[in-house]
Amino acid sequence: MDLFICPVCKRTLTFCEKVYICENRHSYDISKYGYVNLLMSQKSSKKRHGDDKLMIQSRQDFLNKNYYKPLLDCITEIVMKKANNKPLTVLDAGCGEGYYSANIKQSVPQCEMYGIDISKDALIFAHRRDKDITLAAAGCNKLPFTDNSFDVLLNIFSPTCTNEYSRVLKHDGLLIRAVPLKEHLFELKSAVYDTPYKNPEEPHTLDMFSLIEFHEIKYTFHLNTNQEIKALFKMTPYYYKTSRSDQEKLNSINKLDIQAEFGVEVFIKQ
């Protein structure tokens, strides 16, 4: 299926021999790492676009041990119910290193899975995880897809861009959003910060969408090595916002019981 659009002229991209090309002859190669670059923001002076290799490797090390499997299982069940043994198109908007995309595709093999992320390091890891996922470097605020393309859109701990999500979802398409709840990872924050804060409570509403399901997932998981504790910390946004002295507080901790609290919101287009 030709779901990609050209980021320059918005015409449909057609795939031909490792190249996507539009009718205006703009072309985009599939990189040797398995993704197509459809990002237009190449002039930024920022050194880092999205999560870097350290964060991605830490996230993969942590997620591969299935500490977040209850969240994965919940999302997978929703997608499976939507599929109902029929083909469907799924977009993971902010797919990271592909843990959720790859496992959902394995459980729902009839889905055509797409993943986007602004981090090229993340896309390299995602391609290694599952070479059948169609990957692109792109941002959520300018999705490089045709209108009404997807049956399901996954928004797992990523920015939410309701206008674009509504545009690319089919009329009966589902937006599945995972968000951290109040106590999520509070014990980890308590080990690092003198005055840790709880996550703010936010309303489960989105412009242009109606909430049809809400699932709370709460459980405690046990980290038994200092390496696992540091992997979890390095995969979070806290890592780059925390002083070296506070980070070093984790050096002496070898075991930690941590509360996981997720909200899984299921929306449908209004």
Side-chain angles (χ1 to χ4, degrees), residues 115-175:
I116 65 158
D117 205 286
I118 61 172
S119 168
K120 295 174 184 177
D121 287 322
L123 295 171
I124 293 170
F125 278 71
H127 180 65
R128 290 172 184 166
R129 229 186 230 289
D130 190 332
K131 293 179 172 55
D132 290 330
I133 298 175
T134 303
L135 299 167
C140 294
N141 59 336
K142 292 183 179 179
L143 293 173
F145 297 102
T146 57
D147 297 354
N148 308 310
S149 293
F150 294 100
D151 298 289
V152 176
L153 192 150
L154 307 177
N155 179 213
I156 304 173
F157 309 123
S158 297
T160 301
C161 304
T162 53
N163 288 339
E164 281 293 271
Y165 291 175
S166 179
R167 180 183 67 81
V168 302
L169 276 171
K170 296 178 182 179
H171 75 278
D172 60 346
L174 298 183
L175 167 59

Side-chain angles (χ1 to χ4, degrees), residues 59 63 68-69 71-73 75-76 92 95 97-106 113 129 133 154 156-157 235 262:
R59 184 172 292 120
L63 292 174
Y68 282 5
K69 191 172 186 298
L71 173 61
L72 170 64
D73 290 344
I75 296 172
T76 301
D92 189 350
C95 65
E97 49 72 66
Y99 172 77
Y100 299 99
S101 305
N103 281 287
I104 290 170
K105 182 168 177 55
Q106 184 176 7
M113 181 69 73
R129 229 186 230 289
I133 298 175
L154 307 177
I156 304 173
F157 309 123
M235 78 177 229
F262 307 108

